[in-house]
Amino acid sequence: MKLAVTFVTLFFALIAALWIAFVRAPPPHEVCQRKADILRAEAGGEHGEAVDNLLDQYRLGCRKQAEALLQLRGKLVYARHAKCVMAARTLADAERCG
């Protein structure tokens, strides 16, 4: 009986570790906020109202695209994409994460 309980416990611990390592990812709004932050940093000192409006539109489009990726391709593909974007330093790197 103790052996079965130990086996089941180890099995669930392994599943949890795999979930955290491969499937757990930031939600679409955080990924898009990261892209917008990179874009704002690359824009330099030009932070007028027009740039803010453009960033809002960019975030909205990005979020729709990320949610579509999550629904159409699945959690594993989305998680790989999201982790890549969060690690990106430039917008070009983030766009290559596709």
Side-chain angles (χ1 to χ4, degrees):
M1 184 67 176
K2 287 183 181 183
L3 183 61
V5 170
T6 303
F7 177 74
V8 169
T9 303
L10 288 175
F11 177 74
F12 282 118
L14 177 65
I15 295 295
L18 289 173
W19 175 268
I20 289 170
F22 294 107
V23 182
R24 187 168 172 252
H29 72 275
E30 287 182 19
V31 172
C32 293
Q33 183 62 45
R34 172 69 178 150
K35 280 181 155 181
D37 291 344
I38 292 171
L39 187 59
R40 182 179 298 242
E42 288 183 0
E46 305 286 328
H47 293 110
E49 186 177 324
V51 173
D52 289 337
N53 290 338
L54 203 64
L55 284 174
D56 288 340
Q57 290 178 356
Y58 181 78
R59 269 189 228 105
L60 182 62
C62 173
R63 189 170 180 178
K64 286 180 182 179
Q65 183 181 11
E67 288 172 353
L69 178 68
L70 180 59
Q71 290 179 352
L72 297 175
R73 302 287 304 275
K75 289 185 179 189
L76 287 176
V77 172
Y78 171 75
R80 186 170 45 244
H81 168 76
K83 289 176 184 179
C84 178
V85 169
M86 296 305 276
R89 296 283 180 221
T90 65
L91 190 61
D93 291 342
E95 293 298 327
R96 278 189 223 117
C97 292

